[in-house]
Amino acid sequence: MGGPTERAAARVVRFGDASAIGIARQRVRPPRGNEVLVRVTHAALGATDVLARRGGYVLQPVPGFVPGYDFVGVLETESAVSVALGLRTGARVAGVLPRMGAHATLLVLPPTYLVAVPDALSSEAAATVPLNGVTAALALRYAGPAPRILIQGITGAVGALAAQLALRDGRTLFGTGTTPPPGLADGDPRLTLVDYRDPGWPAEVRERTGGGVEAAIDHTGSPLVREAVAPDGVVVRTAFAGRSGHERGDALRGTAAAVVRSRAHPREVVCSVPFWVLRKRVEYRRMLAGLLGDVAEGRLRAFEPEVYPFSAVWDAHRAAEARSAGRTVVLAM
Ligand SMILES: NC(=O)c1ccc[n+]([C@@H]2O[C@H](COP(=O)([O-])OP(=O)(O)OC[C@H]3O[C@@H](n4cnc5c(N)ncnc54)[C@H](OP(=O)(O)O)[C@@H]3O)[C@@H](O)[C@H]2O)c1
């Protein structure tokens, strides 16, 4: 099979700050069986990439790894399975990987990780959606039909999408944050903002709901969250913030504690998109296609892409670390 055989990839050569990234030239093996070759055009760079670069991610790869869970690109080759999925050579595709590696110019992977990008959506804008959108939608699915839901970090990339999806389902929303997320009007009566810097915030949620919300989506791992949830409710944990220098150990302990509390009151659920994508390919593809369609047709407002050329990957890491409100850093490969 013809096509390119070498790629550029952003490797984390040691754990540390943005200077720990090095661009490497790597050989690309030809696709086998039904695999396809994707020329990556854009890849998001988010909170998880920064955490992994520092060595604090719960699913931490060893140094030498290439960050990036999601991407947008163009199919360089096709296979019987990709054609059956409607994906032919030249198609614009997006996907989430089950393990990191998207910050590279070429990927060889099974087409079951890919969905078509709607024509109406630019590749830059589409690149902000896959990981953030699937995390938001999956966390809401795990939250079940809770009429009132608390979303931690509602101004974040994941929280802002989760908030819109929850409101679309007709749920009443509580969000920790200081400003409403993009796409939500200030003073929207369906949203109550509480400030996570005030340690009394769970009591405030409990008081306003008469005993707690039915579900919470949390990325901090804080035990405080349980206090804001009714005893028969559920806490969906998408991440566990750790103490500086102990992030990974704290996240592993947090995950273990959440698993132990899977039958507690409130119960806890761990939401891991990489594992889910690996196991539930059909559901994942349906979810991602739906999210991209929603963004393309204006039913869902994703963050604005803040685009950096791949040659400025170090600046992109610094920008992701600085987190500008309402923006997701995107590498243009
Ligand atoms: N489970 C998965 O598979 C999966 C997938 C993707 C991402 N994640 C994780 O999800 C988390 C959120 O990602 P993101 O991209 O949305 O991050 P982000 O854009 O950086 O947003 C972080 C949010 O957290 C808020 N925040 C900061 N400190 C907080 C605290 N102590 N208590 C409550 N909220 C606090 C921030 O609010 P302010 O702006 O007001 O500070 C902001 O709204 C990250 O930890 C990421 O690693 C998990």
Side-chain angles (χ1 to χ4, degrees):
M1 182 167 299
T5 56
E6 201 177 71
R7 71 176 195 172
R11 287 173 72 238
V12 172
V13 292
R14 60 172 192 284
F15 296 141
D17 62 15
S19 69
I21 303 288
I23 293 191
R25 313 279 329 166
Q26 299 175 331
R27 282 195 66 76
V28 179
R29 66 166 175 80
R32 292 192 281 256
N34 272 299
E35 289 178 338
V36 289
L37 180 68
V38 174
R39 178 166 51 80
V40 179
T41 58
H42 297 85
L45 200 170
T48 312
D49 301 307
V50 169
L51 190 63
R53 192 203 67 216
R54 293 187 189 139
Y57 179 39
V58 67
L59 303 175
Q60 185 67 56
V62 295
F65 73 98
V66 175
Y69 267 122
D70 56 348
F71 60 91
V72 170
V74 176
L75 269 190
E76 290 280 317
T77 66
E78 61 186 37
S79 67
V81 170
S82 82
V83 171
L85 295 173
L87 304 172
R88 291 191 169 274
T89 302
R92 220 154 46 102
V93 291
V96 178
L97 299 173
R99 47 190 290 214
M100 290 185 149
H103 294 170
T105 54
L106 292 170
L107 296 173
V108 175
L109 75 173
T112 48
Y113 288 112
L114 303 174
V115 301
V117 175
D119 290 343
L121 197 57
S122 74
S123 296
E124 291 89 341
T128 69
V129 178
L131 180 66
N132 296 330
V134 171
T135 307
L138 184 62
L140 279 172
R141 186 180 288 191
Y142 287 158
R148 296 171 302 180
I149 190 159
L150 166 79
I151 297 178
Q152 280 263 64
I154 202 163
T155 51
V158 174
L161 287 169
Q164 293 171 68
L165 293 170
L167 288 180
R168 215 167 70 178
D169 291 346
R171 305 175 198 237
T172 302
L173 211 58
F174 289 78
T176 56
T178 43
T179 54
L184 273 176
D186 203 353
D188 190 314
R190 299 167 301 168
L191 167 69
T192 304
L193 278 177
V194 284
D195 191 339
Y196 65 77
R197 293 167 299 187
D198 172 1
W201 72 260
E204 187 186 337
V205 174
R206 239 185 6 254
E207 194 175 310
R208 283 172 180 263
T209 52
V213 289
E214 287 77 21
I217 296 175
D218 171 60
H219 64 297
T220 66
S222 165
L224 280 180
V225 180
R226 298 180 61 78
E227 295 173 21
V229 179
D232 57 352
V234 55
V235 179
V236 180
R237 304 279 195 189
T238 59
F240 301 83
R243 296 159 297 157
S244 179
H246 301 270
E247 286 92 346
R248 183 155 186 252
D250 285 352
L252 287 168
R253 277 185 285 279
T255 305
V259 170
V260 167
R261 292 193 199 110
S262 63
R263 288 166 191 271
H265 298 279
R267 69 190 170 87
E268 298 201 15
V269 180
V270 176
C271 171
S272 170
V273 170
F275 285 142
W276 187 72
V277 165
L278 187 66
R279 290 185 294 113
K280 302 279 184 188
R281 218 67 67 78
V282 175
E283 284 176 54
Y284 145 73
R285 292 186 69 253
R286 196 179 304 134
M287 184 183 276
L288 178 53
L291 289 161
L292 289 168
D294 284 347
V295 175
E297 287 166 29
R299 290 187 294 270
L300 191 63
R301 198 166 136 189
F303 274 11
E304 292 293 322
E306 184 176 337
V307 182
Y308 288 79
F310 190 40
S311 56
V313 63
W314 300 274
D315 293 338
H317 270 262
R318 285 182 204 106
E321 219 151 354
R323 291 187 53 238
S324 45
R327 288 169 173 270
T328 293
V329 170
V330 169
L331 289 170
M333 308 304 290

mmCIF file of all heavy atoms in Angstrom, residues 189-222:
data_model
loop_
_atom_site.group_PDB
_atom_site.id
_atom_site.type_symbol
_atom_site.label_atom_id
_atom_site.label_comp_id
_atom_site.label_asym_id
_atom_site.label_seq_id
_atom_site.Cartn_x
_atom_site.Cartn_y
_atom_site.Cartn_z
ATOM 1 N N PRO A 189 -33.067 31.102 34.690
ATOM 2 C CA PRO A 189 -33.673 30.562 35.915
ATOM 3 C C PRO A 189 -33.472 29.051 36.082
ATOM 4 O O PRO A 189 -33.657 28.522 37.177
ATOM 5 C CB PRO A 189 -35.164 30.886 35.751
ATOM 6 C CG PRO A 189 -35.365 31.143 34.295
ATOM 7 C CD PRO A 189 -34.063 31.635 33.743
ATOM 8 N N ARG A 190 -33.077 28.372 35.016
ATOM 9 C CA ARG A 190 -32.884 26.910 35.138
ATOM 10 C C ARG A 190 -31.525 26.562 35.734
ATOM 11 O O ARG A 190 -31.233 25.396 36.007
ATOM 12 C CB ARG A 190 -33.011 26.258 33.752
ATOM 13 C CG ARG A 190 -34.377 26.454 33.106
ATOM 14 C CD ARG A 190 -34.335 26.075 31.647
ATOM 15 N NE ARG A 190 -33.358 26.879 30.898
ATOM 16 C CZ ARG A 190 -32.936 26.620 29.665
ATOM 17 N NH1 ARG A 190 -33.406 25.561 29.039
ATOM 18 N NH2 ARG A 190 -32.064 27.398 29.059
ATOM 19 N N LEU A 191 -30.677 27.586 35.923
ATOM 20 C CA LEU A 191 -29.319 27.341 36.421
ATOM 21 C C LEU A 191 -29.059 28.140 37.694
ATOM 22 O O LEU A 191 -29.286 29.345 37.733
ATOM 23 C CB LEU A 191 -28.297 27.753 35.348
ATOM 24 C CG LEU A 191 -26.840 27.858 35.811
ATOM 25 C CD1 LEU A 191 -26.278 26.476 36.127
ATOM 26 C CD2 LEU A 191 -25.987 28.527 34.737
ATOM 27 N N THR A 192 -28.600 27.454 38.733
ATOM 28 C CA THR A 192 -28.150 28.128 39.954
ATOM 29 C C THR A 192 -26.644 27.949 40.056
ATOM 30 O O THR A 192 -26.161 26.821 40.073
ATOM 31 C CB THR A 192 -28.818 27.509 41.199
ATOM 32 O OG1 THR A 192 -30.234 27.568 41.031
ATOM 33 C CG2 THR A 192 -28.406 28.255 42.463
ATOM 34 N N LEU A 193 -25.938 29.065 40.087
ATOM 35 C CA LEU A 193 -24.471 29.000 40.223
ATOM 36 C C LEU A 193 -24.083 29.042 41.685
ATOM 37 O O LEU A 193 -24.611 29.848 42.445
ATOM 38 C CB LEU A 193 -23.829 30.192 39.519
ATOM 39 C CG LEU A 193 -23.634 30.112 38.019
ATOM 40 C CD1 LEU A 193 -23.054 31.423 37.512
ATOM 41 C CD2 LEU A 193 -22.715 28.960 37.645
ATOM 42 N N VAL A 194 -23.181 28.159 42.095
ATOM 43 C CA VAL A 194 -22.628 28.231 43.448
ATOM 44 C C VAL A 194 -21.105 28.306 43.317
ATOM 45 O O VAL A 194 -20.532 27.781 42.368
ATOM 46 C CB VAL A 194 -23.045 27.010 44.317
ATOM 47 C CG1 VAL A 194 -24.472 27.126 44.781
ATOM 48 C CG2 VAL A 194 -22.844 25.697 43.579
ATOM 49 N N ASP A 195 -20.485 28.968 44.262
ATOM 50 C CA ASP A 195 -19.042 29.208 44.176
ATOM 51 C C ASP A 195 -18.284 28.116 44.924
ATOM 52 O O ASP A 195 -18.430 27.985 46.141
ATOM 53 C CB ASP A 195 -18.732 30.588 44.768
ATOM 54 C CG ASP A 195 -17.298 31.013 44.481
ATOM 55 O OD1 ASP A 195 -16.453 30.131 44.198
ATOM 56 O OD2 ASP A 195 -17.034 32.219 44.547
ATOM 57 N N TYR A 196 -17.460 27.336 44.193
ATOM 58 C CA TYR A 196 -16.761 26.216 44.844
ATOM 59 C C TYR A 196 -15.719 26.676 45.864
ATOM 60 O O TYR A 196 -15.236 25.885 46.658
ATOM 61 C CB TYR A 196 -16.143 25.269 43.807
ATOM 62 C CG TYR A 196 -15.042 25.864 42.953
ATOM 63 C CD1 TYR A 196 -13.759 26.039 43.451
ATOM 64 C CD2 TYR A 196 -15.281 26.217 41.634
ATOM 65 C CE1 TYR A 196 -12.751 26.574 42.665
ATOM 66 C CE2 TYR A 196 -14.282 26.758 40.840
ATOM 67 C CZ TYR A 196 -13.021 26.940 41.361
ATOM 68 O OH TYR A 196 -12.027 27.464 40.593
ATOM 69 N N ARG A 197 -15.359 27.980 45.824
ATOM 70 C CA ARG A 197 -14.366 28.478 46.796
ATOM 71 C C ARG A 197 -14.984 28.662 48.176
ATOM 72 O O ARG A 197 -14.279 28.768 49.170
ATOM 73 C CB ARG A 197 -13.772 29.807 46.304
ATOM 74 C CG ARG A 197 -12.930 29.618 45.045
ATOM 75 C CD ARG A 197 -12.631 30.942 44.403
ATOM 76 N NE ARG A 197 -13.866 31.621 44.007
ATOM 77 C CZ ARG A 197 -13.921 32.734 43.297
ATOM 78 N NH1 ARG A 197 -12.821 33.316 42.897
ATOM 79 N NH2 ARG A 197 -15.082 33.286 42.979
ATOM 80 N N ASP A 198 -16.324 28.683 48.233
ATOM 81 C CA ASP A 198 -17.012 28.792 49.516
ATOM 82 C C ASP A 198 -17.267 27.371 50.043
ATOM 83 O O ASP A 198 -18.052 26.620 49.457
ATOM 84 C CB ASP A 198 -18.342 29.528 49.294
ATOM 85 C CG ASP A 198 -19.217 29.524 50.539
ATOM 86 O OD1 ASP A 198 -18.778 28.973 51.583
ATOM 87 O OD2 ASP A 198 -20.338 30.045 50.458
ATOM 88 N N PRO A 199 -16.607 26.958 51.144
ATOM 89 C CA PRO A 199 -16.760 25.575 51.606
ATOM 90 C C PRO A 199 -18.196 25.219 51.994
ATOM 91 O O PRO A 199 -18.541 24.045 52.129
ATOM 92 C CB PRO A 199 -15.817 25.485 52.821
ATOM 93 C CG PRO A 199 -15.431 26.888 53.156
ATOM 94 C CD PRO A 199 -15.709 27.754 51.969
ATOM 95 N N GLY A 200 -19.054 26.248 52.121
ATOM 96 C CA GLY A 200 -20.454 25.980 52.474
ATOM 97 C C GLY A 200 -21.322 25.679 51.266
ATOM 98 O O GLY A 200 -22.534 25.518 51.399
ATOM 99 N N TRP A 201 -20.703 25.523 50.070
ATOM 100 C CA TRP A 201 -21.546 25.370 48.884
ATOM 101 C C TRP A 201 -22.433 24.110 48.891
ATOM 102 O O TRP A 201 -23.584 24.174 48.453
ATOM 103 C CB TRP A 201 -20.736 25.507 47.584
ATOM 104 C CG TRP A 201 -19.810 24.372 47.234
ATOM 105 C CD1 TRP A 201 -18.469 24.325 47.427
ATOM 106 C CD2 TRP A 201 -20.159 23.129 46.605
ATOM 107 N NE1 TRP A 201 -17.952 23.139 46.975
ATOM 108 C CE2 TRP A 201 -18.976 22.389 46.470
ATOM 109 C CE3 TRP A 201 -21.356 22.567 46.149
ATOM 110 C CZ2 TRP A 201 -18.952 21.109 45.898
ATOM 111 C CZ3 TRP A 201 -21.335 21.302 45.581
ATOM 112 C CH2 TRP A 201 -20.142 20.597 45.462
ATOM 113 N N PRO A 202 -21.962 22.971 49.430
ATOM 114 C CA PRO A 202 -22.881 21.817 49.417
ATOM 115 C C PRO A 202 -24.133 22.063 50.261
ATOM 116 O O PRO A 202 -25.236 21.660 49.877
ATOM 117 C CB PRO A 202 -22.040 20.680 49.998
ATOM 118 C CG PRO A 202 -20.623 21.094 49.799
ATOM 119 C CD PRO A 202 -20.645 22.582 49.966
ATOM 120 N N ALA A 203 -23.946 22.762 51.400
ATOM 121 C CA ALA A 203 -25.100 23.056 52.259
ATOM 122 C C ALA A 203 -26.086 23.952 51.516
ATOM 123 O O ALA A 203 -27.310 23.777 51.616
ATOM 124 C CB ALA A 203 -24.626 23.727 53.543
ATOM 125 N N GLU A 204 -25.544 24.883 50.730
ATOM 126 C CA GLU A 204 -26.413 25.780 49.959
ATOM 127 C C GLU A 204 -27.254 24.977 48.952
ATOM 128 O O GLU A 204 -28.452 25.189 48.812
ATOM 129 C CB GLU A 204 -25.534 26.813 49.226
ATOM 130 C CG GLU A 204 -26.342 27.878 48.533
ATOM 131 C CD GLU A 204 -25.455 28.808 47.704
ATOM 132 O OE1 GLU A 204 -24.250 28.921 47.989
ATOM 133 O OE2 GLU A 204 -26.016 29.403 46.745
ATOM 134 N N VAL A 205 -26.590 24.009 48.274
ATOM 135 C CA VAL A 205 -27.322 23.179 47.300
ATOM 136 C C VAL A 205 -28.382 22.344 48.017
ATOM 137 O O VAL A 205 -29.524 22.243 47.570
ATOM 138 C CB VAL A 205 -26.344 22.262 46.508
ATOM 139 C CG1 VAL A 205 -27.103 21.292 45.611
ATOM 140 C CG2 VAL A 205 -25.362 23.102 45.696
ATOM 141 N N ARG A 206 -27.999 21.782 49.171
ATOM 142 C CA ARG A 206 -28.947 20.951 49.928
ATOM 143 C C ARG A 206 -30.168 21.756 50.346
ATOM 144 O O ARG A 206 -31.308 21.314 50.215
ATOM 145 C CB ARG A 206 -28.245 20.390 51.160
ATOM 146 C CG ARG A 206 -28.232 18.886 51.190
ATOM 147 C CD ARG A 206 -27.664 18.243 52.420
ATOM 148 N NE ARG A 206 -27.313 19.087 53.517
ATOM 149 C CZ ARG A 206 -26.061 19.394 53.865
ATOM 150 N NH1 ARG A 206 -25.054 18.924 53.150
ATOM 151 N NH2 ARG A 206 -25.808 20.158 54.903
ATOM 152 N N GLU A 207 -29.889 22.964 50.816
ATOM 153 C CA GLU A 207 -30.976 23.820 51.291
ATOM 154 C C GLU A 207 -31.915 24.187 50.141
ATOM 155 O O GLU A 207 -33.126 24.089 50.252
ATOM 156 C CB GLU A 207 -30.350 25.084 51.875
ATOM 157 C CG GLU A 207 -31.299 25.920 52.708
ATOM 158 C CD GLU A 207 -30.529 27.077 53.324
ATOM 159 O OE1 GLU A 207 -29.457 26.830 53.935
ATOM 160 O OE2 GLU A 207 -30.987 28.222 53.147
ATOM 161 N N ARG A 208 -31.336 24.552 49.004
ATOM 162 C CA ARG A 208 -32.157 24.989 47.871
ATOM 163 C C ARG A 208 -32.960 23.852 47.252
ATOM 164 O O ARG A 208 -33.922 24.079 46.533
ATOM 165 C CB ARG A 208 -31.264 25.601 46.783
ATOM 166 C CG ARG A 208 -30.800 27.003 47.105
ATOM 167 C CD ARG A 208 -29.789 27.416 46.077
ATOM 168 N NE ARG A 208 -29.279 28.741 46.297
ATOM 169 C CZ ARG A 208 -29.725 29.826 45.680
ATOM 170 N NH1 ARG A 208 -30.690 29.730 44.804
ATOM 171 N NH2 ARG A 208 -29.192 30.996 45.938
ATOM 172 N N THR A 209 -32.501 22.610 47.470
ATOM 173 C CA THR A 209 -33.182 21.475 46.834
ATOM 174 C C THR A 209 -33.982 20.657 47.846
ATOM 175 O O THR A 209 -34.585 19.651 47.474
ATOM 176 C CB THR A 209 -32.151 20.533 46.174
ATOM 177 O OG1 THR A 209 -31.147 20.209 47.146
ATOM 178 C CG2 THR A 209 -31.508 21.168 44.965
ATOM 179 N N GLY A 210 -33.942 21.066 49.109
ATOM 180 C CA GLY A 210 -34.674 20.316 50.129
ATOM 181 C C GLY A 210 -34.093 18.932 50.337
ATOM 182 O O GLY A 210 -34.832 17.948 50.365
ATOM 183 N N GLY A 211 -32.763 18.823 50.396
ATOM 184 C CA GLY A 211 -32.155 17.526 50.721
ATOM 185 C C GLY A 211 -31.134 17.035 49.719
ATOM 186 O O GLY A 211 -30.566 15.967 49.901
ATOM 187 N N GLY A 212 -30.903 17.800 48.687
ATOM 188 C CA GLY A 212 -29.830 17.415 47.747
ATOM 189 C C GLY A 212 -30.346 17.101 46.352
ATOM 190 O O GLY A 212 -31.490 16.684 46.177
ATOM 191 N N VAL A 213 -29.464 17.289 45.389
ATOM 192 C CA VAL A 213 -29.807 16.968 43.993
ATOM 193 C C VAL A 213 -29.802 15.446 43.803
ATOM 194 O O VAL A 213 -29.245 14.712 44.619
ATOM 195 C CB VAL A 213 -28.799 17.608 43.004
ATOM 196 C CG1 VAL A 213 -28.954 19.110 42.940
ATOM 197 C CG2 VAL A 213 -27.363 17.224 43.363
ATOM 198 N N GLU A 214 -30.394 15.005 42.718
ATOM 199 C CA GLU A 214 -30.456 13.562 42.460
ATOM 200 C C GLU A 214 -29.162 13.042 41.855
ATOM 201 O O GLU A 214 -28.889 11.834 41.910
ATOM 202 C CB GLU A 214 -31.636 13.231 41.528
ATOM 203 C CG GLU A 214 -33.008 13.342 42.182
ATOM 204 C CD GLU A 214 -33.495 14.785 42.349
ATOM 205 O OE1 GLU A 214 -32.984 15.662 41.616
ATOM 206 O OE2 GLU A 214 -34.364 15.029 43.195
ATOM 207 N N ALA A 215 -28.372 13.933 41.245
ATOM 208 C CA ALA A 215 -27.103 13.475 40.648
ATOM 209 C C ALA A 215 -26.103 14.622 40.600
ATOM 210 O O ALA A 215 -26.487 15.798 40.527
ATOM 211 C CB ALA A 215 -27.336 12.938 39.238
ATOM 212 N N ALA A 216 -24.828 14.253 40.648
ATOM 213 C CA ALA A 216 -23.756 15.242 40.481
ATOM 214 C C ALA A 216 -22.722 14.674 39.530
ATOM 215 O O ALA A 216 -22.446 13.468 39.542
ATOM 216 C CB ALA A 216 -23.113 15.558 41.828
ATOM 217 N N ILE A 217 -22.157 15.551 38.718
ATOM 218 C CA ILE A 217 -21.019 15.178 37.866
ATOM 219 C C ILE A 217 -19.827 15.956 38.401
ATOM 220 O O ILE A 217 -19.859 17.187 38.464
ATOM 221 C CB ILE A 217 -21.290 15.526 36.386
ATOM 222 C CG1 ILE A 217 -22.461 14.701 35.870
ATOM 223 C CG2 ILE A 217 -20.042 15.293 35.543
ATOM 224 C CD1 ILE A 217 -22.891 15.038 34.459
ATOM 225 N N ASP A 218 -18.806 15.225 38.808
ATOM 226 C CA ASP A 218 -17.695 15.852 39.527
ATOM 227 C C ASP A 218 -16.357 15.452 38.926
ATOM 228 O O ASP A 218 -16.138 14.286 38.603
ATOM 229 C CB ASP A 218 -17.747 15.418 40.997
ATOM 230 C CG ASP A 218 -16.491 15.862 41.737
ATOM 231 O OD1 ASP A 218 -16.241 17.081 41.784
ATOM 232 O OD2 ASP A 218 -15.752 14.996 42.242
ATOM 233 N N HIS A 219 -15.451 16.416 38.811
ATOM 234 C CA HIS A 219 -14.109 16.116 38.301
ATOM 235 C C HIS A 219 -13.043 16.399 39.341
ATOM 236 O O HIS A 219 -11.873 16.465 39.016
ATOM 237 C CB HIS A 219 -13.836 16.934 37.043
ATOM 238 C CG HIS A 219 -13.803 18.409 37.321
ATOM 239 N ND1 HIS A 219 -14.892 19.101 37.783
ATOM 240 C CD2 HIS A 219 -12.816 19.315 37.224
ATOM 241 C CE1 HIS A 219 -14.572 20.368 37.948
ATOM 242 N NE2 HIS A 219 -13.310 20.527 37.623
ATOM 243 N N THR A 220 -13.466 16.629 40.600
ATOM 244 C CA THR A 220 -12.494 16.956 41.637
ATOM 245 C C THR A 220 -12.220 15.773 42.564
ATOM 246 O O THR A 220 -11.166 15.709 43.182
ATOM 247 C CB THR A 220 -13.007 18.123 42.506
ATOM 248 O OG1 THR A 220 -14.161 17.680 43.229
ATOM 249 C CG2 THR A 220 -13.359 19.337 41.668
ATOM 250 N N GLY A 221 -13.182 14.884 42.689
ATOM 251 C CA GLY A 221 -13.040 13.774 43.640
ATOM 252 C C GLY A 221 -13.325 14.203 45.063
ATOM 253 O O GLY A 221 -13.202 13.409 45.995
ATOM 254 N N SER A 222 -13.737 15.452 45.242
ATOM 255 C CA SER A 222 -13.934 15.977 46.596
ATOM 256 C C SER A 222 -15.067 15.247 47.316
ATOM 257 O O SER A 222 -16.153 15.057 46.763
ATOM 258 C CB SER A 222 -14.258 17.466 46.513
ATOM 259 O OG SER A 222 -14.775 17.905 47.736
#
